[in-house]
Amino acid sequence: QVQLVESGGGLVQAGGSLRLSCAASGRTFGTRNMGWFRQAPGKERDFVAAVTNSGGSTIYADSVKGRFTISRDNAKNTVYLQMNSLKPEDTAVYYCAGSQFYFGRSYQSYPVWGQGTQVTVSS
């Protein structure tokens, strides 16, 4: 019923920028908090950023503060992750997630997930 589809991943040089998009299906996007997570090979899934349903509040992992910006356009059913000053350590599969009731850093609390998009940052 509810589907999330990430796009915008790719290969970028260290110091470069990339913008990820997450498009949501259905008519409930505006009621859901949205988050971005990432997972590198052999590593746990880590929180990156989240935004409330209205876009009024955001939270970020310490590792991306000042470099990444999460935003949303509810008219387009889309959440974005603008990534600047990228580092090789940012290399991972990036996942979009949504929750009507949860807003935070715990991946276990987000019931809806996209398929992920690969981001690779070269040195």
Side-chain angles (χ1 to χ4, degrees):
Q1 184 63 226
V2 178
Q3 294 181 331
L4 303 175
V5 180
E6 301 96 332
S7 63
L11 177 64
V12 65
Q13 291 181 312
S17 297
L18 208 59
R19 188 183 73 163
L20 305 183
S21 298
C22 173
S25 65
R27 299 181 178 89
T28 62
F29 179 77
T31 72
R32 299 185 184 276
N33 305 314
M34 302 296 296
W36 285 98
F37 294 78
R38 65 188 183 185
Q39 187 167 25
K43 303 295 184 180
E44 66 189 34
R45 185 168 297 187
D46 291 330
F47 171 78
V48 177
V51 60
T52 51
N53 53 14
S54 66
S57 296
T58 58
I59 52 175
Y60 295 91
D62 289 342
S63 59
V64 307
K65 285 181 179 178
R67 300 189 298 122
F68 291 10
T69 302
I70 188 171
S71 62
R72 67 192 296 158
D73 186 341
N74 287 352
K76 296 181 178 179
N77 276 18
T78 302
V79 62
Y80 304 96
L81 185 68
Q82 178 66 47
M83 305 184 294
N84 299 325
S85 302
L86 282 162
K87 306 174 181 179
E89 305 90 270
D90 297 318
T91 296
V93 177
Y94 282 70
Y95 296 92
C96 177
S99 175
Q100 184 177 355
F101 303 108
Y102 180 76
F103 178 63
R105 295 172 167 84
S106 176
Y107 73 86
Q108 300 98 321
S109 299
Y110 288 85
V112 182
W113 289 84
Q115 84 292 340
T117 185
Q118 177 71 48
V119 172
T120 302
V121 184
S122 65
S123 58

